Amino acid sequence: MASVVTLPLMEDFYTIQGEGFYQGSAAYFIRLGGCDVGCVWCDVKESWDASAHPLVSVTEMTRRAKDSGAEIVVITGGEPVMYDLMELTGTLKASGLRTHLETSGAYPITGTWDWICFSPKKFKLPHDSVLEKANELKVIVYNKTDFAWGEEFALKVNNECQLFLQPEWSKEKEVLPLIIEFVKANPRWQVSLQVHKYMNIP
Ligand code: SF4
């Protein structure tokens, strides 16, 4: 039965996941509008105001994702965990799609997920319940203090969690050499680059 639940949708598109554990894999992105985290370096500030984006039913979002031919659907934002995502993930999974989440963990996570990428932000601390659910910890490195910040979370997430350090795009030239040296000294971590930006795709 079609769901009447709606969520603010900023954009949705089929592309290549450019970051983290699934880097290089085809994925359908659903970018929900609304975020109250306030990262100073945010590259999707136009997502912040939820009311600027149309409400779209989860049935329609699922139909578009399914029609794309994708196997993986990435729910991102904005900050998607501001919303109850049970209905959206339930509808996607009922269509045979994998559900992946990109979140700062600012709120407890709802929904049924095949993969959770947790990227904590200093601007709004994550909810403790996210730490044990994360499959991937992705720390954005903007300056040197972010290594210690990332290590704090690496100690708190579950043992299976994959650890990634990713340069903030505008600081890449400056921080990538530091990341490389850090990963060589701490091989539990891996480097993540935003390879979609090199491919000039969204
Ligand atoms: S959590 Fe994401 S969308 Fe929200 S301000 Fe930070 S980078 Fe931007």
Side-chain angles (χ1 to χ4, degrees):
M1 206 170 91
S3 173
V4 294
V5 171
T6 60
L7 292 166
L9 178 65
M10 178 177 159
E11 58 182 350
D12 56 334
F13 49 90
Y14 192 25
T15 187
I16 304 294
Q17 167 61 283
E19 308 177 3
F21 189 82
Y22 279 89
Q23 181 187 88
S25 298
Y28 195 85
F29 276 67
I30 294 177
R31 186 185 304 285
L32 299 180
C35 183
D36 61 359
V37 176
C39 305
V40 291
W41 41 259
C42 177
D43 60 359
V44 279
K45 287 186 171 138
E46 59 278 25
S47 71
W48 291 6
D49 178 8
S51 69
H53 306 289
L55 290 171
V56 175
S57 74
V58 301
T59 303
E60 172 64 11
M61 290 185 210
T62 299
R63 186 193 62 73
R64 291 192 213 169
K66 186 72 181 169
D67 286 353
S68 75
E71 295 177 357
I72 296 171
V73 178
V74 178
I75 309 300
T76 187
E79 180 40 87
V81 299
M82 290 172 71
Y83 305 104
D84 182 345
L85 299 170
M86 279 304 289
E87 192 80 10
L88 176 58
T89 54
T91 309
L92 290 167
K93 289 192 74 64
S95 293
L97 296 163
R98 278 182 64 86
T99 53
H100 291 201
L101 175 65
E102 300 267 344
T103 181
S104 72
Y107 298 94
I109 293 171
T110 55
T112 309
W113 299 99
D114 292 302
W115 192 263
I116 295 174
C117 174
F118 165 49
S119 184
K121 303 295 181 334
K122 288 176 176 167
F123 310 94
K124 190 175 177 73
L125 292 178
H127 193 270
D128 282 346
S129 62
V130 179
L131 299 165
E132 66 185 29
K133 293 183 175 175
N135 300 106
E136 170 181 356
L137 170 66
K138 184 172 70 188
V139 173
I140 310 303
V141 180
Y142 186 75
N143 60 39
K144 284 180 185 172
T145 64
D146 292 323
F147 292 101
W149 157 260
E151 285 282 49
E152 276 179 38
F153 286 99
L155 292 172
K156 293 181 190 165
V157 290
N158 63 79
N159 289 335
E160 305 299 313
C161 190
Q162 305 286 317
L163 308 182
F164 289 94
L165 292 168
Q166 178 174 297
E168 194 278 321
W169 181 248
S170 71
K171 294 277 189 138
E172 192 185 51
K173 282 195 170 46
E174 197 178 314
V175 300
L176 185 54
L178 304 178
I179 293 176
I180 291 168
E181 288 311 309
F182 187 89
V183 169
K184 283 159 66 180
N186 302 275
R188 196 183 159 206
W189 289 90
Q190 297 175 64
V191 180
S192 171
L193 296 176
Q194 294 181 293
V195 298
H196 53 295
K197 296 195 177 178
Y198 294 96
M199 292 187 274
N200 289 318
I201 55 175

